[in-house]
Amino acid sequence: MSMSLKAAGTAMPAFPYFLFWFSAFVFVVFFFSFYWGLRFFTKQITPESTHIPQYKLAIVGLLVALNGLFLLFSNYSVPGITQALLGPSVVTIPVLIVVSFFALRTHYHWTLLASALVIIIGIFFALLNSIVNHQSSLLWTLVWIVGMVPLCFAS
């Protein structure tokens, strides 16, 4: 997803609103039609599975949309290699550990915390290298990282 966003952002740097709304519209139309096809023409979606509270799905959709919004606007200013280094799995692991510690009172083994610290140090050096070499600005790189936080809450 990052590479397609990077290609779209590079090709259309002045149109992030258009890209955001167009991709959201295509996403809704494509997957909603796919859902209705599965629901009415197959038995894969049962009536019991349609009784999930809709507000929970709306919250997840809002968080994923916030993620897309942050990434789309910071996409043009953050180089592709930095996007790959700060991809969803890299930023998500430390954020999920912190969130689950404070929200769920989860306790982790010291080896897991040490590995999360190694990830954070790696993120720091990736940011430092990108900023020292004038490849990206600190502001837009931080916007990219903050954009991963709603994705953590959605999962």
Side-chain angles (χ1 to χ4, degrees), residues 5-15 19 75-76:
L5 273 178
K6 186 65 181 169
T10 303
M12 300 175 68
F15 302 105
L19 288 172
N75 174 38
Y76 187 70

Side-chain angles (χ1 to χ4, degrees), residues 16-59:
Y17 293 109
F18 170 76
L19 288 172
F20 179 70
W21 288 111
F22 181 74
S23 62
F25 177 75
V26 169
F27 179 82
V28 169
V29 169
F30 179 75
F31 285 105
F32 196 65
S33 61
F34 188 71
Y35 165 77
W36 281 108
L38 283 176
R39 183 166 180 190
F40 289 118
F41 299 117
T42 67
K43 301 273 189 243
Q44 291 181 357
I45 298 178
T46 62
E48 294 84 22
S49 67
T50 60
H51 295 296
I52 298 172
Q54 297 298 308
Y55 75 92
K56 292 181 181 180
L57 296 176
I59 291 172

Side-chain angles (χ1 to χ4, degrees), residues 2 6 11 24 30 38 40 44 54-55 60 85 88 90 110 113 121-122 128 133 135 137 139 144 151:
S2 296
K6 186 65 181 169
F30 179 75
L38 283 176
F40 289 118
Q44 291 181 357
Q54 297 298 308
Y55 75 92
V60 170
L85 289 172
V90 174
W110 70 271
L113 296 175
I121 291 170
L128 187 64
N133 292 332
Q135 295 173 344
S137 69
L139 173 70
W144 178 271
L151 196 59

Side-chain angles (χ1 to χ4, degrees), residues 103-133:
L104 303 174
R105 303 287 183 220
T106 305
H107 296 284
Y108 294 101
H109 195 264
W110 70 271
T111 55
L112 185 72
L113 296 175
S115 61
L117 183 63
V118 168
I119 292 172
I120 292 171
I121 291 170
I123 291 171
F124 173 74
F125 281 119
L127 287 174
L128 187 64
N129 182 35
S130 179
I131 292 167
V132 167
N133 292 332

